[in-house]
Amino acid sequence: MSTIVLFGATGFLGRQVRELLAGDPRPAQLVCPGRADLDLLSADPGAVAAFLREVAPSVVLNCVGRMSGGHAELFRGNAGVTALLLEAMAVAAPRARFVRLGSAAEYGPVPYGHVQHEEDPARPITAYGISHLAGTLLVERTREIDGLSLRVFNPVGPGISADNVLGRARELMRAGRADLGPLGAMRDFVDVRDVADAVVRAAFVAEPAERVINVGSGRAVAVREAVKLLAEVCGFTGEIRESALASGRAGAAPWSRADVGRAWDVLGWRPSIPLADSIKAMA
């Protein structure tokens, strides 16, 4: 029986991956270390290697990451954790598959209407995007490890946090107000359950031909329209204001739409959950 190690199993994305793996018919032991067991934000490579040597995984999934914070926090949470796991795997689990969650922010701003393909130049201009690109480059360049980096676009759905624009809007609406930042950007929203499906497929796919794969819906939707739909689902009838400051993570990219052809070619994956269903699940 194979062993799958899932880091970040209690987070927004990791929780869905854990649920999907728990119901997967393929025989596998699932190990989900928490921070009390092994804190990847403070552990050294030797401690991680000792843990992996004891568990002997065939797959290591990294759903640990940071969406906000200073430059050092973002790099430690996104690129640093990836570097730590790759270094430990090289000595303790060199034959295991490694899958990390990256971000569409790695691309940086693109022209309006452009569909972002994995071969496009990556030119992030935010610390968040740069930190994720560094993690993806480590996966691409570390040939000793069989690794994949999934560039996740804008995940939404059950368990969403206020770090996401729709999660923030939901919390404000629950409090009886909706003072948000500018909502004119076009975003590729993908359901977190679809993301989990892509992660599980990446864990089991045999000899993937590519190391970087977009995970999105393939559709660009105005954030303003998504917020209006959320208001309808929540029964919010107040005024939606766009007077707050834009998010430093996403404000620099007014357009985002994924080319998901590679995900189908490599993983046999396509998004299946409509945005309306995602919003209903989160509301």
Side-chain angles (χ1 to χ4, degrees):
M1 178 182 292
S2 62
T3 298
I4 300 173
V5 173
L6 170 60
F7 291 102
T10 60
F12 174 43
L13 296 169
R15 187 182 305 116
Q16 298 296 331
V17 174
R18 181 176 188 169
E19 290 183 7
L20 201 56
L21 284 171
D24 195 283
R26 285 165 287 207
Q29 178 187 11
L30 180 59
V31 178
C32 301
R35 281 194 175 185
D37 305 304
L38 186 65
D39 187 350
L40 295 182
L41 296 176
S42 61
D44 61 76
V48 179
F51 172 81
L52 294 178
R53 197 174 286 112
E54 179 181 355
V55 175
S58 54
V59 178
V60 176
L61 305 177
N62 178 32
C63 293
V64 174
R66 294 230 17 143
M67 295 183 68
S68 59
H71 293 189
E73 291 175 300
L74 288 167
F75 270 81
R76 185 165 56 250
N78 297 325
V81 167
T82 297
L84 177 67
L85 288 171
L86 288 172
E87 185 174 342
M89 288 178 66
V91 298
R95 296 183 180 179
R97 163 74 48 79
F98 176 63
V99 182
R100 78 174 293 270
L101 296 180
S103 169
E106 297 172 37
Y107 288 112
V110 298
Y112 191 92
H114 178 74
V115 180
Q116 290 153 295
H117 188 274
E118 292 88 348
E119 295 300 325
D120 287 351
R123 296 168 179 162
I125 61 174
T126 64
Y128 174 76
I130 294 168
S131 69
H132 266 299
L133 177 59
T136 291
L137 289 174
L138 284 168
V139 171
E140 282 190 295
R141 308 292 166 83
T142 307
R143 289 294 170 178
E144 299 84 359
I145 300 297
D146 174 17
L148 290 168
S149 186
L150 305 184
R151 278 182 175 154
V152 180
F153 278 61
N154 290 79
V156 294
I160 195 170
S161 75
D163 284 327
N164 180 291
V165 62
L166 294 186
R168 186 163 61 255
R170 180 194 60 184
E171 297 308 309
L172 289 171
M173 288 176 186
R174 285 177 174 174
R177 56 193 178 90
D179 300 315
L180 298 162
L183 302 176
M186 302 290 289
R187 290 279 177 268
D188 185 321
F189 294 105
V190 59
D191 193 281
V192 64
R193 294 162 292 185
D194 277 336
V195 176
D197 181 34
V199 172
V200 173
R201 288 171 184 263
F204 290 110
V205 66
E207 299 182 2
E210 305 288 350
R211 286 187 165 229
V212 181
I213 300 174
N214 286 342
V215 177
S217 69
R219 296 177 61 244
V221 176
V223 177
R224 187 175 293 116
E225 294 305 312
V227 170
K228 286 181 180 178
L229 179 57
L230 176 64
E232 293 174 7
V233 173
C234 291
F236 178 77
T237 57
E239 181 182 359
I240 298 173
R241 298 185 179 90
E242 302 182 30
S243 55
L245 294 176
S247 164
R249 187 179 72 254
W255 167 273
S256 181
R257 180 185 174 190
D259 182 317
V260 293
R262 180 179 287 184
W264 173 253
D265 293 340
V266 177
L267 305 179
W269 177 89
R270 282 181 178 144
S272 63
I273 302 174
L275 178 59
D277 291 350
S278 303
I279 289 177
K280 288 177 183 176
M282 62 172 275

